[in-house]
Amino acid sequence: MTVATARSGPPWPGPDGPGRLPKVPQEAAEAVLAAVEGLIGELRQIGVPVSTSESIDAVRSLEYTDPLQPDQLRAALAATLVKSHRHGRAFDTVFDLFFSPGPRPGQDGGPAPDADGTPVRGRLAARLAGAGDTELRDLLVRVLDQRDDLGLRAVTAELVDRHARIRPGQPVAGTLAVQRTFRAVEPDDLRDRLAGLSGGADGSPVSGLRVRLAAEEADRRVERLRQEIETEVRRRLVEDRGAAAVARSLRSALPEDLDFLTASTAELAALRAALAPLPAQLAGRLSATRRRARRGPLDFRRTVRASLSAGGVPVRLAFRPPRPAKPELVLLADISGSVATFAGFTLQLAQALRTQFRVVRSFVFVDGTDEVTDLLAGSDGAVEAARRIDESGSGVRLDGRSDYGNALRGFWDRWGTQVGSRSIVVVLGDARTNYRSPSVESLSALRRRAGRVYWLNPEPRAAWGSGDSVMNQYAPHCDDVVECRNIRQLRQFIERLA
């Protein structure tokens, strides 16, 4: 049930009292609460953290919100439920589903009729239904140019009627319906016509600037049309199947849950944006955790001084401030094509956290091993680091195909003696050796010398040991083998290093 069913009642909100809005009918209140409950459940389902106390705050915020004002509802619920800007877009999508807009043109419940008794929206819808496609596109240009929201909604509803081809009961997210409708308006031609209405080059010194501004404004209006089409399609899907069913078909991973190995170009950009604030957050948390990790040595003088009030009995022991030693972090990253993205993000994060470790040394391998610590330190971001590693040819010795055995032997032979008991060795890779010798003895020797050895694998745990994966042979020689497919899991592992 959505809030649209509660439109007939008076303004929401809670118990009567100073500064409170009057009560609404019980049925309307239950409709709003059901929509909020569905919204919270779907946010939790897609990974947005919503605690019980935050759910209570969201419901209490309704006491001061008018459900006839969607902007008020959106602001109140976002303020109580969303804690990160990365989750804002996911919240907006789910909110639009559970708090569907009111009636559209040609439906009951529109505005008051005009002088002859004909509903204004009904008259407009009837006119649009008799228009041809060319006339409809001309009208669309006009309403976009004039910023006529009422006309835009009416034209959009007619376009969806003609081109979306939504089938009742069909379990789809509506993406294809949006694409069909958007293509039908010929967006490139529409953009050119809107830009032409703002004037073109006339030879004046500012004509070039005027053209660019007109083009940008046309892009914004075409995007506004696309968003309106998307809203209309989703509204119809919600009417047909319910908000919860549509939400299930629209679910998409949050940036921190995107898979390193399968992310698209757009998703990689979202990953980089999500990773940007992570080093500072983790650095503060690691420092605090390290300070609280253990007490320092006994402070004898302060203990004796405190015991005087108890007749010399040391009832309360005093300790010196803890000064835990920082460990040394050694990273061995597979940069072959299959896991290069994962390695790039992890190396970038480790470099950003280097102040939390005594030393951070980074090595990359494909079928050979090279140190890239200095190269990464001089790079600005994962993209530039990947480019510089590629240009230097690091990690490649023979045919450029993954060879974990040769890479591990090379690392042990050249740098094994530099690893000590305070070293944390982290291997990044999928452990797929192309059926070559895994050289397990090299990893075993490294484990005996290092303080701890971890292996981060970006593949699902169910795939370990299948095909040419030798993860099951490496696992006994590691302190822990961790599935690390996204930023959320990577963050949890980094926090464990404290």
Side-chain angles (χ1 to χ4, degrees), residues 3 7 11-13 21 32 36 39 58 60-80 91 95 99:
V3 76
R7 298 275 176 185
W12 169 260
L21 296 173
V32 176
V36 173
L39 169 72
R60 293 189 64 184
S61 72
L62 298 177
E63 297 178 3
Y64 309 92
T65 308
D66 183 353
L68 297 179
Q69 302 295 328
D71 291 342
Q72 289 186 21
L73 276 172
R74 187 188 300 270
L77 294 176
T80 53
F91 170 83
F95 179 90
F99 291 85

Side-chain angles (χ1 to χ4, degrees), residues 360-434:
V360 175
R361 298 184 67 180
S362 301
F363 300 82
V364 296
F365 65 87
V366 178
D367 57 357
T369 306
D370 291 299
E371 184 170 6
V372 293
T373 304
D374 294 338
L375 188 150
L376 290 175
S379 301
D380 184 16
V383 176
E384 182 183 351
R387 179 183 58 79
R388 296 183 64 181
I389 290 174
D390 185 62
E391 291 176 350
S392 67
S394 299
V396 178
R397 285 291 178 270
L398 300 172
D399 58 3
R401 299 179 62 196
S402 294
D403 187 343
Y404 278 75
N406 191 51
L408 290 173
R409 278 194 302 272
F411 177 82
W412 175 250
D413 292 341
R414 295 175 62 185
W415 296 283
T417 57
Q418 300 176 26
V419 174
S421 59
R422 292 175 58 186
S423 300
I424 299 176
V425 178
V426 181
V427 185
L428 316 172
D430 56 8
R432 295 196 174 272
T433 65
N434 288 308

Side-chain angles (χ1 to χ4, degrees), residues 233-252:
V233 168
R234 289 180 179 174
R235 183 190 65 80
R236 298 190 183 196
L237 291 174
V238 169
E239 284 184 351
D240 176 45
R241 295 160 45 212
V246 177
R248 284 194 296 270
S249 62
L250 283 172
R251 282 174 189 163
S252 57

Side-chain angles (χ1 to χ4, degrees), residues 17-84:
R20 303 290 180 90
L21 296 173
K23 294 182 179 180
V24 298
Q26 184 67 23
E27 182 181 354
E30 290 177 356
V32 176
L33 292 175
V36 173
E37 182 180 0
L39 169 72
I40 293 172
E42 181 61 23
L43 289 175
R44 287 172 172 167
Q45 195 69 33
I46 64 177
V48 177
V50 179
S51 66
T52 302
S53 62
E54 289 164 349
S55 302
I56 295 173
D57 290 341
V59 174
R60 293 189 64 184
S61 72
L62 298 177
E63 297 178 3
Y64 309 92
T65 308
D66 183 353
L68 297 179
Q69 302 295 328
D71 291 342
Q72 289 186 21
L73 276 172
R74 187 188 300 270
L77 294 176
T80 53
L81 299 176
V82 181
K83 297 174 285 298
S84 170

Side-chain angles (χ1 to χ4, degrees), residues 220-234:
R220 284 193 290 269
R221 295 183 188 182
V222 171
E223 176 61 20
R224 172 75 176 86
L225 170 64
R226 191 198 63 77
Q227 293 174 355
E228 187 65 28
I229 292 173
E230 187 174 280
T231 299
E232 177 67 14
V233 168
R234 289 180 179 174

